[in-house]
Amino acid sequence: MKKMKLINKVINILYNLKNKQKFLKRLTKLSVVQRSIEVRKPEYININGDIYLGENCKLLCWDLFENEKNNQKLSPKLQIGKNLHATRSLVIQCAGDISIGDNVLIASNVFIVDFNHGINPMTDSYLDNPLDVSRVKIENGVWIGNSVIILPGVTIGRKSIIGAGSVVTKSIPEYSIAVGNPAKVIKQYDIKKQEWRFIRTDESE
């Protein structure tokens, strides 16, 4: 039994390496890619055009979450549009559905995730909880600043800007500037007047 598990593990490693090589070969045809790119489960990743990934970027898909008490099958789908520019150290972790539109600009050290561990405290470890998966959508033309964290269940509307260091916990409407932890909209673009206008916020919230 142990021997069979070891054989299956080796087969899976070789299969993943083969798929990663194919994916990176396809990726370099489409994209300008720097060194130190990490890809996990490339068969779940679809790229629609030329993109730029700086060094130390990671595209990580998870189709199975395993531990002693939990064996959860997942169906990840990571969709990336054309003209994505990720400066460096972008980490995307996808167990469900993450879509990034066209012409998106992502600065350094950005983290995007569409899942979290359950929060039942009665398990031995929170790792024993099933994953809670919720879609993340980043629409066309979005600009994400340095060190931003984008959490599950969030949609960022087209042409919006997320300020450096922000943690996005709720959806952001299109043509908005959002900052802070949690991120809140502070400006919206008036298309008719072609100018950004401030949004009043209640600091006591």
Side-chain angles (χ1 to χ4, degrees), residues 44-46 60-61 75-81 91-101 111-115 133-138 150-154:
Y44 297 113
I45 302 172
N46 186 40
L60 309 175
C61 290
S75 300
K77 182 174 69 172
L78 173 55
Q79 182 85 22
I80 299 175
V91 177
I92 299 176
Q93 293 212 48
C94 177
D97 186 349
I98 294 179
S99 65
I100 298 175
F111 180 69
I112 302 169
V113 63
D114 70 349
F115 64 90
V133 181
S134 188
R135 186 187 187 201
V136 171
K137 184 178 183 182
I138 299 170
I150 297 174
L151 295 178
V154 162

Side-chain angles (χ1 to χ4, degrees), residues 84-124:
L84 167 70
H85 185 107
T87 304
R88 66 185 307 276
S89 300
L90 166 67
V91 177
I92 299 176
Q93 293 212 48
C94 177
D97 186 349
I98 294 179
S99 65
I100 298 175
D102 299 336
N103 304 309
V104 170
L105 173 60
I106 299 179
S108 300
N109 305 309
V110 170
F111 180 69
I112 302 169
V113 63
D114 70 349
F115 64 90
N116 207 341
H117 296 287
I119 57 172
N120 179 7
M122 302 309 294
T123 56
D124 292 336

Side-chain angles (χ1 to χ4, degrees), residues 1-31:
M1 190 71 174
K2 287 183 178 179
K3 188 176 180 181
M4 283 300 297
K5 281 186 177 180
L6 181 60
I7 291 170
N8 286 334
K9 192 171 183 179
V10 171
I11 289 170
N12 284 333
I13 289 170
L14 291 173
Y15 174 78
N16 287 332
L17 282 173
K18 186 178 179 182
N19 271 332
K20 181 178 177 181
Q21 288 169 352
K22 284 183 180 178
F23 176 79
L24 288 175
K25 188 176 180 181
R26 179 166 61 89
L27 190 61
T28 51
K29 288 180 180 178
L30 292 170
S31 320

Side-chain angles (χ1 to χ4, degrees), residues 157-190:
R158 59 186 295 198
K159 286 290 184 174
S160 285
I161 300 170
I162 309 299
S166 297
V167 179
V168 185
T169 61
K170 294 182 180 179
S171 294
I172 304 298
E174 63 180 21
Y175 293 95
S176 299
I177 297 177
V179 299
N181 179 9
K184 293 183 179 181
V185 175
I186 60 167
K187 288 184 180 182
Q188 285 188 314
Y189 193 72
D190 188 321

Side-chain angles (χ1 to χ4, degrees), residues 47-63:
I47 297 174
N48 293 334
D50 291 344
I51 67 171
Y52 174 91
L53 297 177
E55 62 182 1
N56 300 322
C57 289
K58 298 180 181 182
L59 308 179
L60 309 175
C61 290
W62 306 91
D63 60 358

